[in-house]
Amino acid sequence: MAKIKQENRYDFETIWQLDTDWFEPPNHRRGGWSGVVKYVLKTANGAVDVFIKRQENHRTKTWCHPLKGIHTFQKEYNNILRLTAKHIPTLEPVYFSCDKSRAILVTKELTGYQSLENISPLSLSSVSRKQLLKAVAHVLADMHQAHFQHNSLYPKHIFAKPISSGWDIKIIDLEKMKRTLFVRQSMMRDLGTLERHANQDWSKKDRVFFLQQYFNEQPLSKKTRQLIQKLAKPKKAKRH
């Protein structure tokens, strides 16, 4: 587990007791809660802008822990390390620790980045728009080829920052991410979610270009076009 050096006087209880305004209102459910604060952490290497996520009695079941489960932030931390090991860009962890009922995850702020939810394609030039779509497509293709399924791939969970060569991408919110046996399963789930929730200002031409980059096909094959038709279909509501 990542730990902040002791000379910085930060430990689990110190971070847990930090009294600062919530960046996002705490989420309360099933007798537990989780919340996020923004903070300037003083370390041996200087001040670092971070987000501190704290939770109590928030657990999720996994294949290795089917009964009691693990802290959802522990799962997210593990997934950050897995993506990083595969060179798939995501958050940079600063600290993680947990006890029986509580967990803390601290990550560096994505300074200069915006979520796709907050980037209007109408504000971008044609070149910049294509560079963004290409960058996102390549990162997602790498993620799926590594057999990772994000499982909650909304535009707000893809962050981008303009750089000299185009755009730098980060994938965040990995609490629900899982490994899959089949690339197609990951692709259908994630791209379907992204397609249904994408800003409507992304034109059909933009969407075709994105998929051309993702599948590395130009023009798209008949098989890929059939998959795209399935992706565009509305998801059926579950019957109760």
Side-chain angles (χ1 to χ4, degrees):
M1 295 182 182
K3 297 286 186 181
I4 296 174
K5 294 181 180 179
Q6 290 299 314
E7 62 262 33
N8 293 317
R9 299 181 182 179
Y10 287 104
D11 56 24
F12 187 93
E13 290 300 331
T14 301
I15 298 175
W16 185 264
Q17 298 296 335
L18 285 175
D19 184 16
T20 186
D21 293 336
W22 293 109
F23 182 78
E24 295 177 356
N27 176 25
H28 294 267
R29 64 179 176 85
R30 298 179 182 176
W33 64 271
S34 66
V36 182
V37 300
K38 189 175 180 181
Y39 194 72
V40 179
L41 202 64
K42 293 180 174 61
T43 72
N45 297 320
V48 180
D49 293 324
V50 300
F51 283 104
I52 299 174
K53 303 174 74 171
R54 292 174 287 189
Q55 68 179 193
E56 186 170 17
N57 295 326
H58 261 210
R59 304 181 76 85
T60 183
K61 294 179 181 179
T62 67
W63 285 107
C64 296
H65 302 85
L67 298 178
K68 292 184 178 180
I70 61 174
H71 299 290
T72 58
F73 288 168
Q74 181 176 349
K75 183 179 180 182
E76 181 172 19
Y77 175 67
N78 292 341
N79 283 333
I80 288 173
L81 297 184
R82 291 186 180 109
L83 286 192
T84 301
K86 295 292 185 179
H87 306 290
I88 299 166
T90 185
L91 297 169
E92 182 178 344
V94 175
Y95 174 93
F96 172 78
S97 189
C98 61
D99 59 18
K100 187 175 181 180
S101 62
R102 303 174 299 171
I104 297 173
L105 174 61
V106 184
T107 58
K108 284 188 177 181
E109 179 184 1
L110 293 176
T111 304
Y113 290 79
Q114 292 187 77
S115 73
L116 286 189
E117 186 177 61
N118 294 325
I119 298 176
S120 170
L122 301 179
S123 68
L124 305 176
S125 68
S126 176
V127 171
S128 184
R129 191 161 63 246
K130 285 186 175 182
Q131 288 176 332
L132 174 58
L133 292 170
K134 181 178 180 179
V136 173
H138 288 182
V139 168
L140 296 185
D142 288 344
M143 182 177 73
H144 292 150
Q145 288 298 321
H147 295 270
F148 291 110
Q149 180 176 310
H150 188 280
N151 243 1
S152 184
L153 194 65
Y154 298 103
K156 65 181 179 180
H157 296 149
I158 301 173
F159 274 63
K161 180 177 75 171
I163 56 177
S164 59
S165 58
W167 293 81
D168 190 52
I169 307 299
K170 303 286 187 184
I171 307 298
I172 73 163
D173 198 40
L174 308 180
E175 295 177 15
K176 297 181 180 180
M177 194 183 80
K178 66 178 184 179
R179 295 298 302 274
T180 59
L181 289 175
F182 305 106
V183 172
R184 178 189 168 99
Q185 175 185 332
S186 303
M187 179 268 293
M188 293 296 291
R189 167 74 183 205
D190 287 344
L191 295 191
T193 300
L194 189 60
E195 167 66 23
R196 288 189 294 272
H197 295 274
N199 187 325
Q200 293 303 306
D201 287 336
W202 291 106
S203 68
K204 183 177 180 179
K205 185 177 180 181
D206 290 330
R207 294 167 194 257
V208 170
F209 177 81
F210 168 78
L211 293 169
Q212 287 174 334
Q213 296 301 311
Y214 178 90
F215 290 104
N216 192 27
E217 293 180 358
Q218 193 171 359
L220 294 172
S221 67
K222 181 179 179 181
K223 182 179 179 180
T224 299
R225 292 198 303 270
Q226 290 172 342
L227 283 176
I228 293 170
Q229 290 176 352
K230 292 182 180 180
L231 289 174
K233 290 182 178 179
K235 192 174 182 181
K236 294 182 179 179
K238 294 181 179 181
R239 292 184 179 180
H240 297 282

